[in-house]
């Protein structure tokens, strides 16, 4: 594996490349052109400039998270072919610049959903949290309003104000879309983009839906082992792979995370590893990465990655806000750096243990 950190770009991130460069064992970033809207073409010049900035800081781009998919592609809307053409153009430009990993998601309307962005834990840190009761009691617009005040001034992925202003329209687009239809639209998208991925050796890594069930009545499909198998079989090509995100699949306690990892050998292109603490099956908060702080056995997760011969990029995912840091919720420096160091330590011991 290759340890990385997500970086939103110098315009948006409170964390600098210089800081990332000093985390032991981190040699690359996972980044994006965060100011571009889904559907826009990423030009070669923009990609080149981003690469240069990262490389000048002594790091490399290990992959893109995310090239977001336009809602017309997810709903099979009238303009989907135009937006797929744009997506293909972006992939070609990334390929020409030697970038070979693209993380994306196929979640309707929202990216991940949390009901609190700063829940206080016993140690005084604050974390993102989710309660089903809060979602059931709110409509999506109100939920946007309640979290908007807690973002520390950052724009949250998938919750951009421009998009939220159109939320009614977005819901309207999904009124006839069920899970089956969403799968079909994903298949259509993948069949069109995979020839270009084959040409440039680009691994597409779909990110799971977070939480891993339907919210606000919208269909969600990338939620469990059976559905990932269906997605991979539907377009059976090694470039059609997944991002294994423990904190997203792990929202559903029925998902056996190490077992899922083992079932993804050869198709697991990118890993997000973080821990969750459950207060009940429908009330969880994001814990420190350490196993004993939450519900997951991080050693077993890392061991499963080791056993399938995982060589791709991995990153700590959301961190807690600690030591007075003010940053985009989930994306501060300190706790993610602790997470990276811990995951590196687990990996070293697993690797050495296996060689003995
Ligand atoms: C990320 C997602 O912050 C997170 O939870 O893992 O926002 C992820 O970047 C997207 O869903 C991938 O497209
Ligand atoms: Mn993730």
């Amino acid at each position: 594996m290759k340890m990385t950190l997500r970086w939103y770009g110098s315009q948006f991130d409170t964390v600098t490349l210089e800081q990332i460069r000093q985390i032991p064992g981190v040699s690359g970033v996972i980044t994006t052109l965060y100011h571009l809207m889904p559907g826009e073409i990423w030009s070669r010049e923009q990609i080149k400039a981003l690469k240069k900035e990262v490389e000048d800081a002594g790091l490399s781009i290990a992959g893109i998270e995310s090239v977001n998919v336009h809602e017309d592609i997810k709903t099979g809307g009238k303009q989907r072919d135009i937006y797929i053409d744009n997506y293909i153009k972006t992939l070609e430009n990334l390929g020409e610049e030697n970038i070979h990993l693209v993380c994306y998601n196929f979640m309707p309307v929202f990216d991940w959903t949390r009901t609190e962005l700063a829940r206080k834990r016993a140690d005084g840190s604050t974390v993102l949290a989710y309660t089903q009761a809060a979602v059931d009691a709110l409509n999506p617009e109100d939920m946007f309003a309640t979290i908007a005040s807690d973002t520390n001034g950052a724009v949250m992925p998938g919750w951009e104000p421009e998009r939220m202003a159109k939320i009614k329209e977005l819901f309207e687009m999904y009124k006839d879309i069920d899970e089956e239809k969403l799968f079909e639209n994903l298949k259509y998208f993948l069949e069109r983009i995979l020839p270009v991925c084959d040409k440039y050796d680009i691994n597409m890594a779909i990110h799971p839906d977070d939480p891993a069930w339907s919210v606000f009545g919208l269909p969600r499909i990338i939620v469990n082992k059976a559905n990932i198998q269906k997605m991979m079989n539907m377009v059976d090509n090694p470039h059609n792979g997944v991002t294994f995100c423990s904190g997203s699949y792990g929202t559903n306690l029925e998902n056996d995370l190490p077992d899922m990892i083992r079932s993804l050998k050869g198709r697991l292109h990118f890993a997000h590893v973080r821990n969750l603490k459950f207060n009940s099956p429908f009330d969880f908060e994001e814990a420190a990465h350490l196993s004993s702080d939450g519900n997951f056995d991080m050693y077993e997760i890392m061991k499963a990655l080791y056993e399938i011969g995982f060589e791709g990029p991995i990153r700590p995912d959301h961190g807690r806000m600690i030591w007075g840091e003010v940053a985009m919720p989930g994306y501060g420096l300190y706790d993610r750096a602790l997470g990276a160091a811990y995951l590196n330590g687990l990996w070293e011991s697993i690797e050495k243990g296996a060689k003995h």
Side-chain angles (χ1 to χ4, degrees):
M1 61 90 170
K2 178 182 164 75
M3 184 57 69
T4 65
L5 212 74
R6 186 180 199 178
W7 182 64
Y8 283 96
S10 41
Q11 259 184 289
F12 296 97
D13 214 308
T14 56
V15 181
T16 65
L17 291 171
E18 291 64 31
Q19 289 168 324
I20 296 174
R21 177 81 177 84
Q22 292 171 353
I23 306 170
V26 172
S27 56
V29 293
I30 297 293
T31 188
T32 187
L33 293 174
Y34 198 44
H35 62 287
L36 296 184
M37 283 287 122
E40 281 186 69
I41 297 174
W42 296 25
S43 73
R44 264 195 87 175
E45 293 63 43
Q46 289 170 307
I47 299 166
K48 230 193 226 65
L50 180 65
K51 247 184 106 172
K52 182 169 184 322
E53 188 182 6
V54 169
E55 287 170 6
D56 285 351
L59 292 158
S60 65
I61 295 186
I64 300 297
E65 177 176 354
S66 314
V67 180
N68 284 316
V69 176
H70 193 275
E71 298 295 336
D72 264 33
I73 299 178
K74 295 183 233 170
T75 58
K78 284 199 192 70
Q79 313 231 59
R80 81 163 144 185
D81 285 310
I82 299 173
Y83 288 117
I84 296 178
D85 290 342
N86 289 359
Y87 207 98
I88 289 174
K89 194 79 206 109
T90 295
L91 291 175
E92 283 168 351
N93 289 342
L94 289 168
E96 291 288 340
E97 290 303 323
N98 232 338
I99 293 173
H100 299 285
L101 170 71
V102 171
C103 170
Y104 70 105
N105 72 71
F106 222 70
M107 283 181 251
V109 188
F110 303 106
D111 199 304
W112 51 266
T113 307
R114 292 291 172 273
T115 53
E116 290 156 74
L117 297 180
R119 181 185 288 181
K120 209 166 191 137
R121 298 193 80 216
D123 60 7
S125 62
T126 63
V127 294
L128 287 80
Y130 182 94
T131 50
Q132 191 59 39
V135 168
D136 295 343
L138 280 175
N139 68 42
E141 290 126 273
D142 296 338
M143 183 145 117
F144 177 66
T146 60
I147 70 164
S149 56
D150 273 339
T151 61
N152 295 335
V155 178
M156 305 301 291
W159 292 84
E160 297 81 2
E162 304 87 306
R163 280 167 57 78
M164 288 306 116
K166 291 192 297 188
I167 198 159
K168 286 219 173 75
E169 243 173 83
L170 288 169
F171 269 79
E172 187 61 18
M173 289 172 79
Y174 280 93
K175 69 178 194 316
D176 297 321
I177 312 285
D178 58 10
E179 287 185 14
E180 226 24 66
K181 195 85 198 93
L182 196 57
F183 262 120
E184 269 172 40
N185 294 341
L186 175 58
K187 179 166 188 251
Y188 183 93
F189 169 67
L190 287 168
E191 279 172 345
R192 286 218 43 216
I193 65 166
L194 279 164
V196 140
C197 300
D198 291 341
K199 175 168 174 204
Y200 289 98
D201 188 22
I202 295 175
N203 283 329
M204 293 302 297
I206 196 165
H207 189 278
D209 301 351
D210 185 1
W213 54 76
S214 160
V215 286
F216 299 121
L218 295 163
R220 312 255 263 178
I221 52 178
I222 308 300
V223 294
N224 56 30
K225 183 172 164 182
N227 285 20
I228 322 174
Q229 290 302 335
K230 174 169 171 173
M231 181 300 294
M232 292 189 310
N233 292 338
M234 154 178 117
V235 188
D236 196 10
N237 177 323
H239 290 125
N240 172 25
V242 307
T243 298
F244 188 84
C245 177
S246 63
S248 301
Y249 285 123
T251 55
N252 184 342
L253 289 167
E254 281 168 21
N255 283 334
D256 175 340
L257 303 176
D259 173 63
M260 287 174 86
I261 292 171
R262 289 194 182 90
S263 75
L264 290 169
K265 190 174 160 105
R267 301 291 275 270
L268 199 164
H269 299 316
F270 182 28
H272 292 176
V273 183
R274 65 178 152 95
N275 201 356
L276 296 177
K277 167 97 183 104
F278 283 82
N279 300 309
S280 84
F282 295 103
D283 175 340
F284 61 81
E285 56 203 38
E286 297 181 352
H289 285 71
L290 191 74
S291 303
S292 60
D293 200 47
N295 283 66
F296 306 155
D297 188 328
M298 306 306 275
Y299 173 81
E300 290 299 336
I301 289 172
M302 295 300 281
K303 189 153 161 283
L305 287 169
Y306 181 83
E307 284 171 8
I308 63 164
F310 177 64
E311 285 178 348
I314 182 173
R315 65 171 184 80
D317 212 345
H318 304 171
R320 302 164 305 146
M321 238 13 99
I322 58 171
W323 301 338
E325 187 174 19
V326 177
M328 185 188 292
Y331 287 98
L333 170 66
Y334 303 140
D335 200 43
R336 287 189 302 147
L338 292 176
Y342 168 66
L343 298 175
N344 275 332
L346 285 177
W347 190 266
E348 180 178 341
S349 74
I350 292 163
E351 199 168 38
K352 289 186 174 160
K355 284 180 184 145
H356 274 290

